[in-house]
Amino acid sequence: MLGLPGSSPLELFWDAVDELDMELDHKVKGVEKLFNDKSFEVTDKTSLEELEEIIKSDELVSKIVAGDIGAVYRHVSGTVRLERISRLRSLSSTTWPLGRKLMADDARSGNTADFRKTFVMH
């Protein structure tokens, strides 16, 4: 393989990763369109079962997602978590008590994200 033109094993690996990423994006876009059509909002309290029920209610999206409901759920719930972290970070020092309240609410609800590592006060 050395000295021959073509893709390296690392380049082939990243090509495969990119292809899988595009497939997941296609599935997520279908699910998000379904959410918009059904006026369903994903929150940090949305369970996998709720998401699965909504997906199975639409035959086309159900076929597209097939066995990747878990991956779609992790992607969608991760996006919701990132938006929440972003909101917490954007709180100014005058609203610090609100940020502490939100973190306490997360701790009581069993949210496993550790906001103390990601929350930065400016």
Side-chain angles (χ1 to χ4, degrees):
M1 189 150 177
L2 280 174
L4 296 176
S7 298
S8 71
L10 184 60
E11 290 171 330
L12 294 173
F13 168 78
W14 286 116
D15 289 344
V17 168
D18 288 341
E19 188 174 312
L20 291 171
D21 193 40
M22 287 189 297
E23 285 178 26
L24 180 61
D25 283 344
H26 174 69
K27 292 174 183 182
V28 168
K29 285 180 183 175
V31 169
E32 287 175 344
K33 183 180 179 324
L34 177 64
F35 290 163
N36 289 336
D37 293 346
K38 297 207 178 245
S39 299
F40 181 78
E41 184 178 346
V42 178
T43 66
D44 50 358
K45 292 179 176 41
T46 303
S47 69
L48 175 62
E49 291 78 22
E50 289 175 295
L51 185 99
E52 193 170 9
E53 186 178 314
I54 293 290
I55 290 172
K56 287 183 177 180
S57 70
D58 186 279
E59 190 174 327
L60 179 62
V61 173
S62 183
K63 285 180 184 177
I64 290 172
V65 174
D68 291 333
I69 291 176
V72 170
Y73 174 75
R74 285 188 300 277
H75 180 81
V76 171
S77 63
T79 302
V80 169
R81 242 182 258 113
L82 287 175
E83 288 171 359
R84 185 169 178 83
I85 290 170
S86 177
R87 263 191 302 130
L88 287 172
R89 282 184 175 167
S90 69
L91 292 174
S92 68
S93 60
T94 59
T95 57
W96 172 240
L98 175 61
R100 291 182 65 206
K101 181 190 178 319
L102 291 173
M103 288 189 293
D105 290 346
D106 286 337
R108 278 192 290 277
S109 70
N111 193 338
T112 58
D114 188 1
F115 290 108
R116 284 173 283 166
K117 291 180 183 175
T118 56
F119 189 88
V120 178
M121 288 302 298
H122 300 289

